[in-house]
Amino acid sequence: MMRRFTPSKSVAALAVTASLVLSGCGFTSDEGRPLTSLSPKGDEAQDIHNLAKPVFLIAGIIFVLVQGAIIFVSVKFRRRNDDTDALEPRQTHGNFTLEIMWTIAPAILLAGIGVLNAQTIWALEADEANPLTLEVIGHQWWWEYRYDTDSDGTADVITATQAVIPIDRQTDLKIRSNDVIHSFWIPALNGKKDAVPGRTNNWQVTPRVEGLFEGTCTEFCGLSHALMQMQVRVVSQDDFEVWLDEQATPAAEPEADTLAAAGKDVFFQQCASCHQVNGYDSSGAKTDGAADPAYQADVHPLLSGNAPNLTHLMSRANFAGGALELTENNLRRWVQNPAEVKPMAADMQRGMPTLPLTNEQLEAVVAYLMTLK
Ligand code: CUA
């Protein structure tokens, strides 16, 4: 005798599976999951999470009901041994009541979800008083951040890879691209926003938790797209002011006759045509110390604009487009053979080139970079 398959058991199994999946929404820890959007750390990410929960619940219930009905019907009305082809099931095609029901029910559900959706879109654009403005620029393959601290229309603090913003204050991101389409995404703080050449896209984050939040470029932008990462460090409002003051300070001059001083010479011969260190022009001559948003763009027309401003390199946790943790060994590894970490484009115009440095020059330039605190 064949074992009897009971529809009620399979529906129960489905319900258990679905509730396990649904309970995934309840995770509050993001440990080991730096790119989760299920653990919001700011108002905008929370708004999106609050929308995802009811939508997922509704979809989950419908999934269970539909799958349950499919299993029930296929078991109950399966072909039996004594069935003959002469017996055709009763046809319900063209049943007016059924047609109306299964048109109206999803329409009502979708309209409800549509209202929630619209509410969330408005909530995401709600403005708070006194926002911080932060220019975000996508380059192949790293992110640049520009702060206009005195609101005179020119950036005076320029940094890369890792943005620093204050807690409990809205930051307005002005997202641009220097070359191709990138997409800015810090899942703990908000959804994705494209960086499109020739456009400025507005986006905002209002963090409520201090910490270092990870993100990654989410629009394919060429060879090293997967290595185009970024972080946002959320700090207290006081720490943010201190950080801004430090970043606005020009780089310190290394002590004479040290390895770092020798490294500074190498840096201005080999690296400074792309990388700015505030306080010097690209030949190493002293300037008034300000960051220059147009650094070298006219003399060195790289397809991808310029390289990261390195004035306070050592204040960052990561570098090389976020691919490496900032340690002395990693700096050495990067300068010696950048392509091994993050390959540059075949036209040698975008990305970090391998420089012809002797071992002494390499050690010296790393020593200099270590002074850029
Ligand atoms: Cu930038 Cu992908």
Side-chain angles (χ1 to χ4, degrees):
M1 197 182 123
M2 255 179 69
R3 256 185 69 199
R4 182 118 180 111
F5 182 76
T6 55
S8 57
K9 270 186 196 159
S10 54
V11 170
L14 257 178
V16 170
T17 313
S19 60
L20 282 176
V21 172
L22 283 168
S23 68
C25 298
F27 280 127
T28 48
S29 160
D30 53 356
E31 212 174 306
R33 302 180 301 143
L35 295 180
T36 181
S37 48
L38 297 177
S39 181
K41 300 289 190 292
D43 291 358
E44 292 77 10
Q46 187 66 54
D47 288 339
I48 294 172
H49 194 50
N50 292 348
L51 172 67
K53 276 193 275 191
V55 171
F56 198 71
L57 185 71
I58 292 169
I61 291 171
I62 293 174
F63 175 81
V64 171
L65 290 179
V66 170
Q67 295 301 318
I70 289 173
I71 292 171
F72 175 78
V73 168
S74 23
V75 171
K76 179 157 172 74
F77 300 107
R78 71 190 185 277
R79 187 188 172 98
R80 293 171 202 260
N81 290 339
D82 55 353
D83 278 352
T84 64
D85 289 336
L87 282 172
E88 198 180 75
R90 191 166 56 87
Q91 300 297 301
T92 52
H93 177 75
N95 184 311
F96 185 73
T97 319
L98 278 179
E99 297 276 352
I100 291 292
M101 272 168 53
W102 61 51
T103 305
I104 287 187
I108 291 174
L109 264 179
L110 288 178
I113 291 174
V115 169
L116 296 178
N117 233 320
Q119 280 176 340
T120 305
I121 289 170
W122 282 316
L124 285 180
E125 291 182 356
D127 281 326
E128 283 187 38
N130 186 30
L132 170 79
T133 300
L134 173 59
E135 268 189 279
V136 177
I137 304 160
H139 298 262
Q140 284 172 314
W141 292 274
W142 54 285
W143 292 93
E144 181 174 70
Y145 306 100
R146 297 180 177 186
Y147 300 77
D148 178 8
T149 55
D150 49 9
S151 309
D152 67 349
T154 332
D156 31 32
V157 167
I158 302 181
T159 178
T161 299
Q162 191 182 307
V164 176
I165 58 171
I167 192 172
D168 294 334
R169 180 177 170 194
Q170 181 177 314
T171 297
D172 284 345
L173 308 176
K174 308 279 172 203
I175 303 178
R176 297 190 280 124
S177 168
N178 193 42
D179 35 52
V180 298
I181 302 178
H182 305 272
S183 191
F184 187 82
W185 185 46
I186 304 283
L189 298 180
N190 203 343
K192 300 168 183 175
K193 193 63 156 185
D194 278 3
V196 181
R199 271 190 68 94
T200 299
N201 282 337
N202 296 313
W203 207 222
Q204 62 189 42
V205 292
T206 313
R208 298 295 179 192
V209 179
E210 288 181 26
L212 186 68
F213 303 117
E214 307 265 343
T216 188
C217 177
T218 54
E219 184 72 52
F220 180 69
C221 54
L223 187 63
S224 286
H225 154 73
L227 296 163
M228 184 170 171
Q229 293 154 15
M230 62 283 212
Q231 289 91 29
V232 169
R233 182 184 290 286
V234 177
V235 298
S236 72
Q237 311 222 4
D238 291 344
D239 286 352
F240 178 68
E241 294 304 327
V242 172
W243 179 85
L244 263 190
D245 284 346
E246 282 169 4
Q247 297 289 313
T249 319
E253 177 82 29
E255 258 179 68
D257 302 320
T258 56
L259 188 61
K264 180 178 165 243
D265 293 339
V266 178
F267 182 88
F268 283 101
Q269 285 154 21
Q270 300 279 355
C271 318
S273 55
C274 300
H275 290 285
Q276 188 184 13
V277 168
N278 302 353
Y280 307 95
D281 69 13
S282 63
S283 67
K286 286 262 186 194
T287 67
D288 66 359
D292 179 3
Y295 185 73
Q296 286 290 304
D298 46 347
V299 251
H300 204 272
L302 289 179
L303 279 182
S304 184
N306 311 309
N309 184 307
L310 298 182
T311 312
H312 297 285
L313 172 69
M314 299 308 291
S315 69
R316 303 171 199 158
N318 296 65
F319 74 112
L324 290 179
E325 212 181 305
L326 221 168
T327 63
E328 186 179 349
N329 270 338
N330 279 343
L331 274 177
R332 190 175 289 115
R333 180 180 160 199
W334 172 245
V335 176
Q336 191 168 31
N337 188 4
E340 176 242 340
V341 178
K342 191 172 69 157
M344 76 184 301
D347 62 11
M348 305 305 267
Q349 295 283 308
R350 289 153 293 166
M352 165 92 165
T354 306
L355 298 163
L357 299 179
T358 64
N359 269 342
E360 292 78 59
Q361 285 176 317
L362 174 68
E363 289 308 316
V365 90
V366 168
Y368 177 58
L369 292 174
M370 298 285 292
T371 68
L372 299 175
K373 296 207 162 80

